[in-house]
Amino acid sequence: MKLIISPIEGINRFARSDVLEVMKGYGDSSTNPTPGFDGTIDLSSYDYGNHTITVELLDSKGDVLTSEKVTVNIKKPNGKIVIDLPSSSSNVSYQAYVSGWTMSEDKNDTIRVSVDGNDVTSYISRFYRDDVINAIKGYGDKDSNPTPGYGGTIDLSAYTDGKHELTVEIISSRGIVIEKETKTFSLKKYNSAIEITSPKSNDTVKTSLNVSGSVSTDAPNKTIKGYVDDIEVPISSNGTTFTFTYDTSVLTDGKHCIKIAIVLDSGEVIYTKEQQFNVKKYEGTITLDYPQTTNIANGSQIYITGWEMSEDVNSKVQIYLDNKLQDIEISSYYREDVINAVNGYGGAATNPTPGYSAYLNLINISDGYHTLTIKTINSLGEVITTYDKQIYLYSGFTLGIDVSQYNGNINWNSVKNSGGVDFAFIRLGYRGWGAPGNFALDTKFVENVNNAHSVGIKTGVYLFSQAINYQEGVAEADYIINNLNMNPGMKDKLSLPIVLDVEDSTAENGQGRTDNISNAQRTDAVRGFIDRMNQYGYKPLIYANKDYLTNRLDISKWANYDVWLAHWTYDFNKKSDYTGTYTFWQYSNCGSIAGINGCVDLDLSYE
């Protein structure tokens, strides 16, 4: 047999008596005279990052008997750049002195300096800086940074006035950028200023725009030009003031931009001033009365109704789903309450029928988040106003919560009316994490079950477990059943499974009675609970997180149970990557539900 290391060969083989003494069952010294191997691998031709070294043991026929892999990381050298000059707050002229320092762990690094992406490294020299070597640690030493300083005067005569970007990069000996630093500086050949006095920034106009302002500059042979949305417009100017009027009826509603420019006879723009303004030809308002809830069971259609008012007598309503215009019939009708309550927007004269209603077909619309948008459109086809509502369409599962005494006093009517909450798991009690492992009832157990059931929310109960063996698992099942029996009619109110909550204790030092037991003990304790519940005629539900189900419990030892997975992704659409089977999923530990103060756990049921 021979040893092959791929992709590197030439590894030394040598005798190792310690291996022969310890490892039995793989031949002896006659078949393994040189079990040891070592060698130095040249990684200079490999990129930075993770690489896999594979060791394979081959038989005399060349077949792989066994293999082992190890991942090694070729670390990119650390580097740091500081640009001392020019400073961000200063203006530079035709020439700019650039200086600073770099440090890196790569002795053979180089630097690249550029302005607006143009390489200007030829202007730069590197030199020794004792202050940097002594002060900066963690990026190599004097040997790997013999000339950390850099500096030089760059010719900027070909660049126009305005903002520019200076970039300094450290290039490793492999041609990889180790570190990059960018600084914005201002190039200013002439002293200039522009003030737009009218309109003010973000003013809103309807159909006409009046622009005025002043200019000051020491540049000779210049012209003042005006633009609206980068289209040049006629402007009146005496060199120090300017005015122009613009018909905004040709512009769409929304944000637009005025620009005033000082232009040399050569055509170079040496200074500009921009100011935003808004065009809004018609004012309006719109609202959505229904649907009120965010979560909507997926079906054939939903009813949509609300009202809109605008200054345009010919405005109309459009309905969009996920930004797609819906080709549906929208009815308009008179609403006296709106006419009497809403002031402005043209009043009854332009809004004789402010109410609107429609039925939106949901056939072939996928489950998940969707955006319902209602728009008021003016007679020119522009949007006057918009109302957005995010809805969640679901089928194949129901939505629920799980609560305990820590959720305080719950208004279950509000929970029910909030929309979407179909079921609730309610804590019955818990076993303490201390040495005795005593049981205690949740102080809100009976109240929560009775009130949730009374408003039509399906209910189930759970017990926080701290069982450390099979017998204690049985006792936890007995504790639940005994307390249900002590409350007449309680069992009849439960339409969900009985749950054992298996997770870390709440002990601050991590020394709860179950925190450090073996996987076998933990598995056996849960099996005691399951077996006992099966004897009572219940198919139990085991609550645990992905780590417990994958690494800390052997679920193959159980029978006749379901799983409630705890894996917080905080989004319906961001599914858990747990590959096992589960019928319930706790996807968030901090939801918001009407009737409950603060965070509440959110769940899905696939039953």
Side-chain angles (χ1 to χ4, degrees):
M1 294 184 291
K2 62 179 180 178
L3 181 72
I4 293 180
I5 299 181
S6 177
I8 308 300
E9 295 190 9
I11 298 299
N12 299 320
R13 300 291 303 273
F14 53 87
R16 284 192 59 174
S17 59
D18 58 327
V19 174
L20 293 174
E21 291 174 1
V22 173
M23 302 301 296
K24 306 298 181 184
Y26 301 96
D28 54 20
S29 60
S30 63
T31 57
N32 297 279
T34 56
F37 67 88
D38 65 8
T40 300
I41 301 174
D42 181 8
L43 299 178
S44 61
S45 63
Y46 290 85
D47 293 336
Y48 299 126
N50 289 332
H51 298 272
T52 300
I53 298 175
T54 303
V55 181
E56 296 177 335
L57 183 63
L58 310 181
D59 64 15
S60 56
K61 297 179 181 180
D63 294 331
V64 177
L65 296 177
T66 186
S67 66
E68 185 74 18
K69 294 182 179 181
V70 64
T71 299
V72 297
N73 180 268
I74 303 177
K75 180 178 174 293
K76 184 172 74 172
N78 285 327
K80 185 173 179 62
I81 300 171
V82 170
I83 301 174
D84 293 327
L85 293 174
S87 66
S88 299
S89 59
S90 63
N91 292 319
V92 300
S93 187
Y94 296 98
Q95 294 183 330
Y97 182 68
V98 173
S99 68
W101 55 267
T102 70
M103 294 276 287
S104 86
E105 296 174 323
D106 188 341
K107 181 177 182 179
N108 297 311
D109 70 7
T110 57
I111 68 168
R112 180 167 57 211
V113 182
S114 59
V115 175
D116 297 343
N118 301 313
D119 195 324
V120 295
T121 311
S122 60
Y123 292 100
I124 303 300
S125 301
R126 298 191 70 175
F127 47 85
Y128 180 71
R129 281 191 58 172
D130 186 64
D131 59 327
V132 173
I133 295 295
N134 293 334
I136 307 302
K137 307 300 179 184
Y139 303 95
D141 53 17
K142 181 177 180 180
D143 291 337
S144 59
N145 296 276
T147 55
Y150 67 86
T153 299
I154 298 174
D155 181 7
L156 298 174
S157 60
Y159 292 81
T160 60
D161 278 11
K163 297 287 186 182
H164 298 276
E165 278 195 347
L166 172 69
T167 301
V168 181
E169 298 169 292
I170 303 175
I171 313 299
S172 77
S173 55
R174 300 186 185 202
I176 303 297
V177 176
I178 297 175
E179 189 62 52
K180 179 172 75 172
E181 185 72 18
T182 298
K183 177 176 284 189
T184 300
F185 67 92
S186 296
L187 175 61
K188 188 176 182 181
K189 301 173 185 175
Y190 301 102
N191 294 314
S192 303
I194 297 174
E195 182 182 7
I196 300 174
T197 55
S198 178
K200 299 299 183 183
S201 179
N202 292 312
D203 274 359
T204 298
V205 301
K206 288 186 175 292
T207 58
S208 182
L209 173 68
N210 296 312
V211 179
S212 61
S214 60
V215 174
S216 63
T217 180
D218 57 8
N221 305 318
K222 79 280 185 181
T223 302
I224 310 303
K225 293 186 177 183
Y227 303 82
V228 173
D229 294 342
D230 289 326
I231 298 175
E232 187 173 355
V233 298
I235 186 172
S236 175
S237 174
N238 59 10
T240 58
T241 62
F242 59 87
T243 61
F244 70 86
T245 300
Y246 189 79
D247 179 10
T248 53
S249 65
V250 299
L251 299 179
T252 59
D253 282 4
K255 283 193 174 295
H256 297 274
C257 183
I258 301 162
K259 181 169 72 175
I260 307 298
I262 302 174
V263 185
L264 300 181
D265 288 350
S266 64
E268 180 183 348
V269 178
I270 61 170
Y271 195 84
T272 63
K273 177 68 175 291
E274 293 185 358
Q275 193 137 292
Q276 298 284 335
F277 69 98
N278 298 296
V279 173
K280 185 72 171 177
K281 301 183 191 73
Y282 303 104
E283 295 296 331
T285 184
I286 190 169
T287 191
L288 179 68
D289 294 330
Y290 190 85
Q292 293 181 334
T293 182
T294 297
N295 303 314
I296 299 173
N298 206 342
S300 59
Q301 62 183 11
I302 58 172
Y303 180 62
I304 297 173
T305 185
W307 57 267
E308 63 91 17
M309 294 187 72
S310 80
E311 295 174 334
D312 185 357
V313 69
N314 295 311
S315 66
K316 61 181 180 180
V317 172
Q318 290 181 344
I319 296 176
Y320 293 75
L321 187 65
D322 298 332
N323 294 319
K324 182 179 180 181
L325 178 63
Q326 302 299 295
D327 184 15
I328 58 177
E329 182 180 351
I330 302 173
S331 300
S332 299
Y333 56 94
Y334 179 69
R335 283 192 57 171
E336 185 176 11
D337 60 327
V338 174
I339 297 294
N340 293 337
V342 180
N343 296 320
Y345 309 110
T350 58
N351 299 277
T353 55
Y356 67 87
S357 65
Y359 286 93
L360 177 61
N361 195 333
L362 296 178
I363 294 176
N364 299 323
I365 302 300
S366 63
D367 287 357
Y369 285 107
H370 298 274
T371 300
L372 179 64
T373 302
I374 316 296
K375 295 182 180 181
T376 302
I377 307 298
N378 69 20
S379 52
L380 301 176
E382 299 170 330
V383 176
I384 299 176
T385 188
T386 298
Y387 186 99
D388 287 322
K389 184 180 185 69
Q390 190 176 63
I391 60 176
Y392 188 86
L393 304 182
Y394 63 90
S395 60
F397 61 82
T398 54
L399 306 177
I401 58 177
D402 58 273
V403 298
S404 71
Q405 66 191 44
Y406 298 110
N407 295 104
N409 295 322
I410 297 175
N411 185 328
W412 286 98
N413 278 308
S414 295
V415 172
K416 180 65 175 178
N417 294 331
S418 67
V421 176
D422 184 72
F423 68 89
F425 281 111
I426 294 164
R427 190 174 73 161
L428 179 146
Y430 59 93
R431 184 195 285 272
W433 51 257
N438 295 328
F439 288 110
L441 276 178
D442 188 293
T443 60
K444 294 288 185 180
F445 154 56
V446 175
E447 175 185 333
N448 280 336
V449 171
N450 287 336
N451 292 342
H453 180 265
S454 69
V455 298
I457 293 177
K458 299 173 187 176
T459 57
V461 296
Y462 71 92
L463 178 79
F464 177 78
S465 174
Q466 283 288 284
I468 61 175
N469 55 44
Y470 184 93
Q471 291 74 21
E472 288 196 351
V474 170
E476 291 185 345
D478 290 340
Y479 182 76
I480 293 175
I481 298 302
N482 289 338
N483 277 282
L484 293 178
N485 289 335
M486 290 172 61
N487 291 272
M490 181 66 71
K491 286 183 178 179
D492 295 333
K493 296 175 182 177
L494 304 181
S495 53
L496 299 178
I498 294 175
V499 183
L500 187 68
D501 177 355
V502 185
E503 56 181 299
D504 290 338
S505 76
T506 57
E508 292 183 0
N509 58 5
Q511 297 299 313
R513 65 199 316 268
T514 63
D515 289 338
N516 299 301
I517 63 175
S518 68
N519 289 358
Q521 288 174 289
R522 187 176 293 109
T523 298
D524 215 32
V526 176
R527 185 169 61 86
F529 177 85
I530 293 173
D531 290 349
R532 190 62 157 179
M533 278 300 176
N534 286 330
Q535 291 173 8
Y536 281 122
Y538 292 95
K539 183 180 182 180
L541 183 65
I542 304 303
Y543 168 96
N545 63 31
K546 185 178 72 169
D547 178 55
Y548 263 67
L549 293 169
T550 305
N551 303 312
R552 302 173 71 179
L553 291 165
D554 183 359
I555 62 178
S556 68
K557 303 295 186 182
W558 307 336
N560 195 30
Y561 71 97
D562 284 328
V563 168
W564 176 7
L565 170 68
H567 185 185
W568 303 330
T569 65
Y570 303 98
D571 189 333
F572 283 118
N573 291 325
K574 188 179 276 188
K575 300 300 182 184
S576 170
D577 58 1
Y578 175 64
T579 58
T581 300
Y582 51 95
T583 55
F584 290 85
W585 174 31
Q586 185 187 81
Y587 72 92
S588 175
N589 69 330
C590 197
S592 178
I593 297 293
I596 302 178
N597 292 326
C599 289
V600 62
D601 297 338
L602 301 180
D603 304 279
L604 300 185
S605 169
Y606 296 100
E607 285 194 328

